[in-house]
Amino acid sequence: MRVDTLLKRRRPRIISVRMNETVGSAAQILRRENVGAVLVKDSCGTEGDIVVGLLSERDFLRALTDYGVAAFKMPVSAVMTRTVVACELSDSIDTVAELMQRHHIRYVPVIDCGALIGVVSIRDLLAEGRTVPNEPFSAAA
């Protein structure tokens, strides 16, 4: 199955924040929308809605660990993941699963001709009966 077919099966919801919003306001969006990540868009009106990063629960937890409650007042741009791994509409969902496994991520934005179309999450893959293989776990003896 391809990404475009997956997105047609469900209404793609794109939840995003501007890079100058606070981490606290982004955390409220994560909770309200019951999602694990939001896309971060450029706040410069002349540049348009360009995806510049992703803020996940993992990023939020790191910020809390590093900065304590002060993290809530920091701009999202200070703690977001800047390297965004994306896919295209024509990619297979197996390709998306491989991207998730290789980059240790759970959310992959879908870009078509430079435009953000949607986001594929690990939940979407699980709903289709796909799994993202984990790397072998090794415990210290």
Side-chain angles (χ1 to χ4, degrees):
M1 175 189 304
R2 291 178 10 158
V3 171
D4 56 353
T5 305
L6 176 68
L7 292 181
K8 285 177 188 173
R9 286 187 174 184
R10 63 169 184 83
R11 288 185 300 202
R13 271 178 59 201
I14 301 173
I15 301 169
S16 64
V17 297
R18 297 287 181 188
M19 62 190 283
N20 59 354
E21 289 187 44
T22 65
V23 171
S25 66
Q28 289 175 343
I29 292 170
L30 288 171
R31 178 163 167 66
R32 181 181 66 236
E33 298 294 332
N34 194 30
V35 294
V38 291
L39 291 168
V40 182
K41 293 186 177 181
D42 190 350
S43 60
C44 179
T46 59
E47 295 296 324
D49 288 337
I50 297 172
V51 175
V52 294
L54 186 125
L55 181 76
S56 68
E57 294 165 323
R58 185 180 298 160
D59 297 319
F60 179 72
L61 184 58
R62 281 190 189 121
L64 280 177
T65 302
D66 292 347
Y67 305 106
V69 295
F72 283 94
K73 295 186 180 185
M74 296 174 70
V76 167
S77 61
V79 300
M80 69 184 185
T81 298
R82 292 183 180 274
T83 304
V84 178
V85 176
C87 67
E88 297 179 356
L89 286 171
S90 61
D91 287 336
S92 73
I93 61 174
D94 290 332
T95 298
V96 175
E98 289 171 17
L99 286 172
M100 289 180 178
Q101 193 273 331
R102 185 176 340 127
H103 296 281
H104 306 283
I105 57 177
R106 293 175 283 171
Y107 305 93
V108 178
V110 182
I111 308 291
D112 183 44
C113 298
L116 177 64
I117 303 299
V119 178
V120 177
S121 73
I122 195 166
R123 241 188 256 178
D124 297 326
L125 297 184
L126 292 173
E128 293 298 323
R130 296 298 200 279
T131 60
V132 177
N134 292 325
E135 293 197 15
F137 175 75
S138 63

